[in-house]
Amino acid sequence: MKLHEYQAKELLASYGVPVPAGKIARTPEEAKAIANEYASLTVIKAQVHVGGRGKAGGVKLAKDANDAFEKAQAILGMDIKGLTVKKVLVAKAVDIAKEYYCGLIHDRNVQSFTLMVSKEGGVDIEEVAATNPAAITRFAIDPIKGLRAFEARQIALDAGLEGNLNKIAAMMVGLWNACAGSDATLAEINPLVITTTGEVIAADAKIDIDDNAMYRHPELEAYREVEAEHPLEVEAKAFGFSYVKLDGHIGVIGNGAGLVMTSLDVVSRVGGKAANFLDIGGGAKAEIVYNAVKLVCKDPDVKGILINIFGGITRADEVAKGVIRALEEGILNKPLAMRVAGTAVAEANELLKDKPINIYPTMMEAATAVVKEAAQ
Amino acid sequence: MKLHEYQAKELLASYGVPVPAGKIARTPEEAKAIANEYASLTVIKAQVHVGGRGKAGGVKLAKDANDAFEKAQAILGMDIKGLTVKKVLVAKAVDIAKEYYCGLIHDRNVQSFTLMVSKEGGVDIEEVAATNPAAITRFAIDPIKGLRAFEARQIALDAGLEGNLNKIAAMMVGLWNACAGSDATLAEINPLVITTTGEVIAADAKIDIDDNAMYRHPELEAYREVEAEHPLEVEAKAFGFSYVKLDGHIGVIGNGAGLVMTSLDVVSRVGGKAANFLDIGGGAKAEIVYNAVKLVCKDPDVKGILINIFGGITRADEVAKGVIRALEEGILNKPLAMRVAGTAVAEANELLKDKPINIYPTMMEAATAVVKEAAQ
Amino acid sequence: MSILINKSSKVLVQGITGREGAYHAEKMLEYGTQVIAGSTPGKGGQVFSALGKTIPVYNSVSEAKAAHPDLDATIIFVPPAAAADATLEAAHAGIPLIVNIAEGMPVLDMMKVVKELKSLPNVRLIGGNCPGLITPGECKLGIMPASTFKAGRVGMISRSGTLTYEASAMLAAADIGCSTVVGIGGDPMIGTTFIDLLPMFNDDPNTDAVVMIGEIGGADEEQAAEWIAKNMKKPVIAFISGRTAPKGKRMGHAGALIMGNVGTAESKLEAMAKANVPVADTMEEIIVLTKKALGL
Amino acid sequence: MSILINKSSKVLVQGITGREGAYHAEKMLEYGTQVIAGSTPGKGGQVFSALGKTIPVYNSVSEAKAAHPDLDATIIFVPPAAAADATLEAAHAGIPLIVNIAEGMPVLDMMKVVKELKSLPNVRLIGGNCPGLITPGECKLGIMPASTFKAGRVGMISRSGTLTYEASAMLAAADIGCSTVVGIGGDPMIGTTFIDLLPMFNDDPNTDAVVMIGEIGGADEEQAAEWIAKNMKKPVIAFISGRTAPKGKRMGHAGALIMGNVGTAESKLEAMAKANVPVADTMEEIIVLTKKALGL
């Protein structure tokens, strides 16, 4: 689960990390009131789950309360990479002397979190990693012992950060505590600002929470915003499907992540492009297959559907029953090609033999057929 | 810092440990109102920092609200081992099927915490340790990794506890989390109750917080009760002295814990008994010594004072100046014997030579003199 | 012969009294796996009965191990929130091989487990989020459908469960069997990966070639390629799924995620090419390449 | 000869730019201790000047160690809240001997430090809450008043600072000097205790006898007595303070606390008697017994 900047900052502040004063506004009036209260320069920042807000005009400096009103008015309702801005963070501006980067990312190579620190702050760290990797200092954190102040100080030194070393290290340790304490998979402060008066402050922050660990963070549930997700993704989650909306036109349903990924590859190989990834999981019954078909049919982008099942625990006849139900209820209104193998495939063939559904022996043949039909 | 039962339970509850519903009453009326709200059997429990409340009559069962009023009236104001009961915990009674003991104590031998678990719950664990040590199962906790559920389950099994193993283990892990999370030096649940319906609940709890770690637990400051400490101990703490009130009649002041302890031993050896332990610390100036003398003179039990200083960083002449000031201000109104050695002892002797203060070359001689004078 | 498990492996089932644990314990017994003990906290003293066998249930892995010092392996059927604890329980009880099938474990839990297991070098963890492993005809320590596996001389290592079944079935259809098939799991943090198993297959006299089924995400395939180039004496055939998956989207497996430029299919294909490992473009091609490698 | 430190020991002072650190760095230099580097986070590049010497200050122990690979020991002058971190910093930088004088460290911090140091067997921690150690005439690595120590052939180990000074001064007055004097500290959790040091003195050819100054609390003296009975080839003289202290009250030192029946003076005296270690009833008697042990 992605947190908004303001949520990430709230979380960091609860772990003792200094952040600029800030409040959320949903209207220009609210923005004005907040700026008025702060009686200082403020920054009006779009709160959307997407990178590159600044470049898109979603972050503006406001010199006074009236200016805050105007800037908030300009940003609220703005479309940033397909997402509508519904709220802005109105934060006290800070006097920046230095801008650094400090982030914790889950790093499979070290089987832990890597702390990445760079003098190149305030810019996209992936770009720094690509263009100037030497500008990033990395440190693998012991997940049991956590990040200790002496380690943080040494990393700050190695990265060449200038400013109060103890305060910088305290911020890094605070970032780790927040990250581990809330089961984040990513926790970034960017920029980590050294102010003109020597304070160390987290001017922007990004935190992603491990969905698998949400059960132990009920307090973070309040941060979830269903509206921010694609409506079909929300629906798929309710069914327990692993579903990803993609930008092609062939709906893909299968069992097992690897098999579905491979199905996407095959669709692409035969000249098509997948509209989604949908894994129904292991041992699915007819009802589940029916729901999967129903969900994919709701997607207006879908021009044809590929179902690819390797029956192990999942029975092919259950899959057939689900598809037949969707067909009979008039829900399945798009070309469909199926490839079913393994357990109970004979029974499935028997069930489907008089139905207008094509079964193919290999995924390649099924994909070829549905891509061709969808193109018509 | 010792927590009251109700405070310890609040803390445990914040770590997910189930405790019986309960509230604090300072008057019988409040107790009645609480019992009325619970509409069940309640237990009225004196909240005093001393063991053996039950035997002293400080814990009573109340069958209804009126009974709660009466029982609270009986307990409030009661004197238990020299402490006046000012508040009672009114808690819902639980239906006890089994009473166990579960405690974490700082154990120097294992250089960590030892988890002690016993089927002999609801009684003084020190007594169990003395009379039936085999009834206690012990486990040394890795202070970095903490207590894990699988370890807790095994300990519960080894100790022969009966009841829902997962719930019992969860309570032990919760106790550890509370202990480590609040820097406790002792954290006990006694009894850990298995109810007749199979619930696992902490019916009584005891937690001591490490004073050295209070700086990182500002939230626990609210639990501190100055009134619960001896007034002279409160005053000594304000001066930064290490002070312990004892039950003899010779006030003892020295520098360094070992030296003061040895001074108490010497006082005892020559037939006296110390009224206090007071360590002025290293490098004390005249003002500090003056304050120490003033503090000890306030104690009506004190019939004579022994000052024992080994001058290292501490200068003997500074000690002399502090004593002289107390003398000249009329504060020092009791017999005093001093033994001063080390740095600047000649200067000290010079300062004291015309004063009515006796200086002795050894602590034995000084102690002998003051014990004799005090007896007169 | 085989790697890790064979017909004499003695197996514990953690969570044997649960629905899933009981179901798969029976399936494993049916396959011939020597399931000799089960454990479930609070259910010690019960027995698990299936196929005419009665298997004792213990309260803890320690107690099971004490009663059956010859236990070689355990398979864990507990909810993901309890999987880390169950894994550590088995590890500290001294079970040398642990299979953790749980899907949905918090990443931090697994990080801590992996770190702690480094101090227990005699313990190997397979998974989480994996189907387990099988030495066809001898021992099934997992949840895979038994029928798709045929005994033979090809080793297999796979990040995907269904693709493992698919590939094994295709090999079997082509009359090629497997020595041992290991589903290492689709999570970003797993106990055992390609690079841990390749040396075992390399040294196993009953394995002639190895099929590795990788996918996008992480750099395990790249590391494996590097190891193969330097050390592997036997042919390896690779397959990479998710070649068309977009960046930044988790494709079912928590581990199938391209972050920045790490974990792309291109990087993996390039690494395999550099190591002269043939990569199958389709599942069908796995069989073609395997046959070729075996000289069939 | 001596144990742990001698005239060629190269010393780092952590927190050298602070008030206490600077004061004691100068005192150590004055004594002849080879203080060759200092460290304070954020003060790297400065120099510490005293007695005509200029000592470089580094931002971290690692940087100091990199510039001075011959560093043998460090002494830490930081507030108690930072002492655990500073200790681990020194330990991980590979400084073999660490003296931590901080009084008032949280017990949990020290537990974690002690546990972590077990994985770094080449690192020895003295303290916390201790005066440090001194090899008279050669090296002072601590905050003790130098004047009370005389070079000689008696080793001393003590849980109390002032009693160490007192005993050393009394020995000096009797013309008996010390090989090395170690103040191990008054906290309940310390890095080094009697049992760690007795073997060193036992093996040190320049130590003829050992004075150990214990106190109530814990069982360190009991363990030491047991070790002595089995292994010690040289005479040991003991002193126990706090014989009249009541149960359950902390006597200044956080470690001087009798809990239940653990840590009583009786238990310690009994253990010493069993090990045939003479115990001085008064400080003066320490000298008498030491003389006797040395045949003076």
Side-chain angles (χ1 to χ4, degrees):
Chain A
M1 184 177 81
K2 285 183 177 167
L3 301 192
H4 281 303
E5 175 193 2
Y6 79 94
Q7 296 167 334
K9 283 177 166 175
E10 274 177 19
L11 186 59
L12 287 174
S14 75
Y15 282 88
V17 173
V19 299
K23 287 181 185 170
I24 281 294
R26 282 157 215 273
T27 63
E29 290 75 16
E30 285 177 10
K32 183 177 174 178
I34 298 164
N36 202 39
E37 180 193 336
Y38 290 155
S40 87
L41 273 181
T42 54
V43 196
I44 316 295
K45 307 172 91 174
Q47 299 296 292
V48 281
H49 287 305
V50 71
R53 291 175 305 176
K55 282 181 194 161
V59 178
K60 291 181 196 293
L61 200 64
K63 61 180 192 295
D64 57 25
N66 286 329
D67 197 20
F69 182 96
E70 281 173 31
K71 298 291 164 61
Q73 198 165 38
I75 296 172
L76 284 163
M78 181 185 269
D79 179 287
I80 301 182
K81 297 185 186 171
L83 294 172
T84 305
V85 180
K86 293 186 178 169
K87 47 193 176 184
V88 291
L89 171 63
V90 182
K92 267 194 184 175
V94 291
D95 285 329
I96 297 172
K98 307 262 181 201
E99 288 187 288
Y100 297 140
Y101 171 89
C102 168
L104 287 160
I105 59 150
H106 169 207
D107 184 343
R108 295 161 60 138
N109 285 337
V110 300
Q111 298 186 303
S112 178
F113 280 93
T114 287
L115 175 64
M116 303 206 305
V117 175
S118 177
K119 289 179 83 167
E120 311 268 316
V123 296
D124 183 357
I125 195 68
E126 286 192 14
E127 214 168 289
V128 178
T131 58
N132 187 12
I136 303 175
T137 300
R138 290 158 192 272
F139 179 78
I141 289 176
D142 179 326
I144 298 171
K145 295 194 180 111
L147 177 67
R148 282 83 69 85
F150 75 90
E151 295 167 332
R153 290 194 302 269
Q154 192 62 53
I155 298 151
L157 289 168
D158 293 347
L161 306 197
E162 290 161 41
N164 185 307
L165 195 53
N166 287 323
K167 285 185 185 170
I168 293 172
M171 180 166 284
M172 292 179 184
V173 171
L175 181 65
W176 164 260
N177 290 341
C179 176
S182 63
D183 276 294
T185 52
L186 171 79
E188 278 185 346
I189 296 172
N190 187 22
L192 180 162
V193 163
I194 314 294
T195 68
T196 48
T197 55
E199 293 309 302
V200 178
I201 195 159
D204 197 353
K206 194 176 166 204
I207 292 179
D208 293 353
I209 306 293
D210 183 354
D211 285 314
N212 288 344
M214 279 299 289
Y215 72 88
R216 55 189 176 205
H217 302 290
E219 76 285 1
L220 296 178
E221 266 310 328
Y223 284 156
R224 194 185 290 282
E225 283 175 11
V226 173
E227 53 177 333
E229 295 170 22
H230 191 285
L232 286 179
E233 289 183 348
V234 175
E235 200 173 322
K237 194 175 284 169
F239 283 127
F241 295 146
S242 179
Y243 175 90
V244 183
K245 180 72 185 93
L246 300 169
D247 57 0
H249 58 291
I250 305 293
V252 177
I253 299 171
N255 64 328
L259 190 66
V260 182
M261 262 192 281
T262 298
S263 305
L264 307 187
D265 295 347
V266 170
V267 166
S268 167
R269 197 173 173 80
V270 300
K273 198 154 189 224
N276 66 269
F277 170 106
L278 196 166
D279 177 6
I280 57 169
K285 297 283 177 199
E287 166 109 19
I288 290 172
V289 176
Y290 165 77
N291 286 328
V293 172
K294 198 169 154 186
L295 183 83
V296 169
C297 285
K298 277 191 192 170
D299 182 352
D301 298 341
V302 168
K303 307 294 178 219
I305 300 173
L306 169 66
I307 297 185
N308 186 8
I309 301 291
F310 184 85
I313 304 167
T314 312
R315 294 178 59 94
D317 55 349
E318 288 289 329
V319 176
K321 282 181 201 161
V323 172
I324 290 165
R325 181 174 159 202
L327 186 73
E328 287 173 351
E329 290 185 11
I331 287 162
L332 176 54
N333 51 5
K334 300 177 183 184
L336 174 103
M338 275 179 83
R339 177 264 180 169
V340 186
T343 312
V345 71
E347 292 89 330
N349 280 324
E350 182 61 27
L351 286 169
L352 288 165
K353 73 175 177 207
D354 299 325
K355 311 288 174 195
I357 290 170
N358 295 317
I359 303 205
Y360 300 88
T362 68
M363 64 176 101
M364 183 71 77
E365 287 164 88
T368 306
V370 75
V371 167
K372 198 170 154 193
E373 279 188 83
Q376 284 164 357
Chain B
M1 182 177 82
K2 284 182 179 170
L3 302 192
H4 282 302
E5 174 192 4
Y6 79 93
Q7 296 167 335
K9 283 177 167 176
E10 275 177 18
L11 186 60
L12 287 175
S14 75
Y15 283 87
V17 173
V19 299
K23 287 181 186 171
I24 280 294
R26 282 158 216 274
T27 63
E29 289 75 17
E30 286 178 9
K32 182 177 175 179
I34 298 164
N36 203 39
E37 180 193 333
Y38 291 153
S40 87
L41 273 181
T42 54
V43 195
I44 317 294
K45 306 171 93 172
Q47 299 296 292
V48 282
H49 287 305
V50 73
R53 290 175 306 176
K55 282 182 196 162
V59 178
K60 290 180 196 296
L61 200 65
K63 61 180 191 295
D64 58 25
N66 286 329
D67 197 22
F69 181 95
E70 280 172 33
K71 298 290 163 60
Q73 196 164 41
I75 296 171
L76 285 163
M78 181 184 269
D79 180 288
I80 301 182
K81 297 187 187 172
L83 293 172
T84 306
V85 180
K86 294 184 177 169
K87 47 193 176 186
V88 291
L89 172 63
V90 182
K92 266 195 186 176
V94 291
D95 285 330
I96 297 172
K98 306 263 182 198
E99 289 187 289
Y100 297 139
Y101 171 90
C102 167
L104 286 159
I105 59 148
H106 170 208
D107 184 343
R108 295 162 60 140
N109 285 338
V110 300
Q111 299 187 303
S112 180
F113 280 93
T114 287
L115 174 64
M116 303 205 307
V117 174
S118 176
K119 289 179 86 166
E120 312 268 316
V123 297
D124 183 357
I125 194 68
E126 285 191 16
E127 213 167 290
V128 178
T131 58
N132 187 12
I136 303 176
T137 300
R138 291 158 191 271
F139 178 78
I141 289 177
D142 179 327
I144 297 172
K145 296 194 180 113
L147 177 66
R148 281 85 70 82
F150 75 91
E151 295 166 332
R153 290 195 301 268
Q154 193 61 54
I155 298 152
L157 289 168
D158 293 347
L161 305 198
E162 290 161 40
N164 185 307
L165 195 53
N166 288 323
K167 284 185 186 172
I168 293 172
M171 181 165 283
M172 291 178 184
V173 170
L175 180 66
W176 164 259
N177 289 341
C179 176
S182 63
D183 275 293
T185 52
L186 171 79
E188 278 183 347
I189 295 173
N190 187 21
L192 179 161
V193 163
I194 314 293
T195 69
T196 47
T197 56
E199 293 309 302
V200 178
I201 196 160
D204 196 354
K206 193 176 165 204
I207 292 179
D208 293 352
I209 305 293
D210 183 354
D211 286 314
N212 289 343
M214 279 298 289
Y215 71 90
R216 55 189 176 204
H217 302 290
E219 77 283 3
L220 295 178
E221 266 310 329
Y223 285 156
R224 194 184 290 284
E225 284 176 9
V226 172
E227 54 178 333
E229 295 170 20
H230 191 284
L232 285 179
E233 288 183 349
V234 176
E235 199 173 325
K237 194 175 284 170
F239 283 127
F241 295 146
S242 178
Y243 176 91
V244 183
K245 180 71 185 96
L246 300 169
D247 57 0
H249 57 290
I250 304 294
V252 177
I253 299 171
N255 64 329
L259 190 65
V260 182
M261 263 191 282
T262 299
S263 305
L264 307 187
D265 294 348
V266 169
V267 165
S268 167
R269 198 171 173 80
V270 300
K273 197 152 190 226
N276 68 270
F277 170 105
L278 196 167
D279 176 7
I280 57 170
K285 297 284 177 199
E287 165 108 19
I288 290 173
V289 176
Y290 165 78
N291 286 327
V293 172
K294 200 169 150 184
L295 184 83
V296 169
C297 285
K298 276 191 192 169
D299 182 352
D301 297 342
V302 168
K303 306 293 176 218
I305 299 173
L306 169 66
I307 297 185
N308 185 9
I309 302 290
F310 184 84
I313 304 165
T314 312
R315 292 178 59 93
D317 54 350
E318 289 289 329
V319 176
K321 280 180 202 164
V323 173
I324 290 166
R325 183 176 156 200
L327 186 73
E328 287 174 351
E329 291 186 11
I331 288 161
L332 177 56
N333 51 6
K334 297 174 186 187
L336 175 103
M338 275 178 83
R339 177 266 182 168
V340 187
T343 312
V345 71
E347 293 88 329
N349 280 325
E350 182 61 28
L351 285 169
L352 289 164
K353 72 176 177 209
D354 299 327
K355 313 286 176 195
I357 292 171
N358 295 317
I359 302 205
Y360 300 89
T362 69
M363 63 176 104
M364 183 71 78
E365 287 164 88
T368 306
V370 75
V371 167
K372 198 169 155 193
E373 279 187 82
Q376 283 164 1
Chain C
M1 272 261 304
S2 55
I3 68 165
L4 295 166
I5 52 170
N6 56 41
K7 62 178 178 294
S8 61
S9 299
K10 305 279 189 300
V11 170
L12 170 74
V13 176
Q14 283 172 261
I16 198 167
T17 60
R19 199 176 54 86
E20 251 203 304
Y23 176 80
H24 286 291
E26 181 164 347
K27 289 285 171 192
M28 285 187 279
L29 281 167
E30 200 178 293
Y31 196 74
T33 303
Q34 292 198 49
V35 176
I36 61 165
S39 76
T40 300
K43 302 283 169 74
Q46 296 187 3
V47 293
F48 172 79
S49 302
L51 307 172
K53 295 199 170 72
T54 48
I55 291 164
V57 179
Y58 300 89
N59 274 316
S60 68
V61 180
S62 280
E63 295 185 358
K65 177 79 175 159
H68 307 274
D70 53 344
L71 275 172
D72 297 302
T74 180
I75 179 162
I76 296 171
F77 294 94
V78 302
D85 188 65
T87 303
L88 292 175
E89 179 182 1
H92 285 284
I95 309 290
L97 181 65
I98 302 168
V99 173
N100 172 16
I101 63 153
E103 180 176 357
M105 279 178 70
V107 163
L108 190 61
D109 284 8
M110 194 60 192
M111 279 183 192
K112 289 180 182 172
V113 166
V114 166
K115 176 77 187 172
E116 188 159 343
L117 292 189
K118 285 194 205 305
S119 65
L120 298 166
N122 297 324
V123 173
R124 171 159 302 287
L125 169 64
I126 309 279
N129 191 12
C130 78
L133 65 163
I134 183 167
T135 291
E138 299 198 22
C139 179
K140 174 178 127 161
L141 187 65
I143 59 170
M144 60 286 283
S147 60
T148 63
F149 297 88
K150 177 182 157 70
R153 302 183 56 85
V154 172
M156 192 183 299
I157 315 167
S158 172
R159 282 171 68 184
S160 155
T162 34
L163 291 186
T164 311
Y165 314 159
E166 182 98 44
S168 302
M170 285 175 165
L171 284 172
D175 209 26
I176 301 171
C178 291
S179 52
T180 301
V181 176
V182 187
I184 57 177
D187 272 357
M189 292 275 306
I190 48 181
T192 293
T193 183
F194 300 109
I195 207 165
D196 301 305
L197 297 170
L198 286 167
M200 297 185 200
F201 280 124
N202 207 20
D203 294 341
D204 176 31
N206 286 36
T207 296
D208 295 334
V210 179
V211 172
M212 54 179 279
I213 300 178
E215 63 189 28
I216 52 162
D220 289 4
E221 290 80 2
E222 288 86 332
Q223 287 161 6
E226 213 173 301
W227 190 88
I228 291 166
K230 284 196 197 130
N231 307 290
M232 196 76 187
K233 298 170 295 190
K234 299 175 184 179
V236 176
I237 299 92
F239 178 80
I240 306 292
S241 73
R243 296 194 193 187
T244 58
K247 281 190 187 186
K249 295 271 188 183
R250 234 169 258 279
M251 291 287 121
H253 282 164
L257 174 68
I258 300 167
M259 292 188 70
N261 295 312
V262 175
T264 64
E266 291 70 35
S267 158
K268 293 172 194 302
L269 295 173
E270 198 181 309
M272 291 298 164
K274 218 186 268 178
N276 288 318
V277 173
V279 181
D281 282 337
T282 63
M283 290 298 288
E284 290 77 8
E285 209 183 329
I286 294 176
I287 314 308
V288 177
L289 293 173
T290 304
K291 279 187 171 171
K292 196 173 150 192
L294 295 173
L296 298 175
Chain D
M1 275 264 303
S2 54
I3 67 164
L4 294 167
I5 52 169
N6 57 42
K7 61 179 178 295
S8 60
S9 300
K10 305 281 188 300
V11 170
L12 170 73
V13 176
Q14 283 172 260
I16 197 168
T17 61
R19 199 177 54 86
E20 251 203 304
Y23 175 80
H24 286 291
E26 182 164 345
K27 289 285 172 193
M28 286 188 277
L29 280 167
E30 199 178 293
Y31 196 74
T33 303
Q34 292 198 48
V35 176
I36 62 165
S39 76
T40 300
K43 302 283 170 73
Q46 296 188 3
V47 293
F48 173 80
S49 301
L51 309 172
K53 294 197 171 73
T54 49
I55 290 164
V57 179
Y58 299 89
N59 273 316
S60 68
V61 180
S62 281
E63 295 186 359
K65 177 79 173 159
H68 307 273
D70 53 344
L71 276 172
D72 297 300
T74 180
I75 178 163
I76 295 171
F77 294 95
V78 301
D85 188 66
T87 302
L88 292 175
E89 179 182 2
H92 285 284
I95 308 289
L97 181 66
I98 302 168
V99 174
N100 172 17
I101 63 154
E103 181 177 356
M105 279 177 72
V107 163
L108 190 61
D109 283 9
M110 194 60 192
M111 278 183 193
K112 290 181 182 172
V113 166
V114 166
K115 176 76 187 172
E116 190 159 344
L117 291 189
K118 286 196 205 299
S119 65
L120 298 166
N122 297 322
V123 173
R124 173 159 301 288
L125 169 64
I126 309 280
N129 192 13
C130 79
L133 65 163
I134 184 168
T135 292
E138 298 197 24
C139 181
K140 174 178 127 160
L141 187 65
I143 58 171
M144 60 286 282
S147 59
T148 61
F149 298 89
K150 179 183 155 71
R153 301 183 56 85
V154 172
M156 191 183 298
I157 315 168
S158 172
R159 283 172 67 183
S160 155
T162 35
L163 290 186
T164 311
Y165 314 159
E166 182 99 42
S168 302
M170 284 175 164
L171 284 172
D175 208 27
I176 301 171
C178 292
S179 52
T180 301
V181 176
V182 188
I184 56 175
D187 273 356
M189 292 275 303
I190 49 179
T192 294
T193 184
F194 299 109
I195 206 165
D196 302 304
L197 297 170
L198 286 167
M200 297 187 202
F201 280 124
N202 206 18
D203 293 341
D204 175 31
N206 285 39
T207 296
D208 296 333
V210 179
V211 171
M212 53 179 283
I213 301 178
E215 62 190 28
I216 52 163
D220 291 2
E221 291 80 1
E222 287 86 333
Q223 286 161 6
E226 213 172 301
W227 191 89
I228 291 167
K230 283 195 197 132
N231 306 288
M232 197 75 186
K233 298 170 296 193
K234 299 175 183 179
V236 177
I237 299 94
F239 179 81
I240 307 292
S241 73
R243 295 194 193 188
T244 57
K247 279 191 185 186
K249 295 270 188 184
R250 234 168 258 281
M251 292 287 123
H253 282 163
L257 173 68
I258 301 167
M259 292 187 70
N261 295 315
V262 175
T264 62
E266 290 69 33
S267 157
K268 292 170 196 303
L269 294 174
E270 197 181 309
M272 291 298 163
K274 218 185 267 177
N276 287 321
V277 173
V279 180
D281 282 336
T282 63
M283 291 297 288
E284 290 77 6
E285 208 183 329
I286 293 176
I287 314 308
V288 176
L289 293 173
T290 305
K291 277 186 172 171
K292 195 173 152 195
L294 294 173
L296 297 175

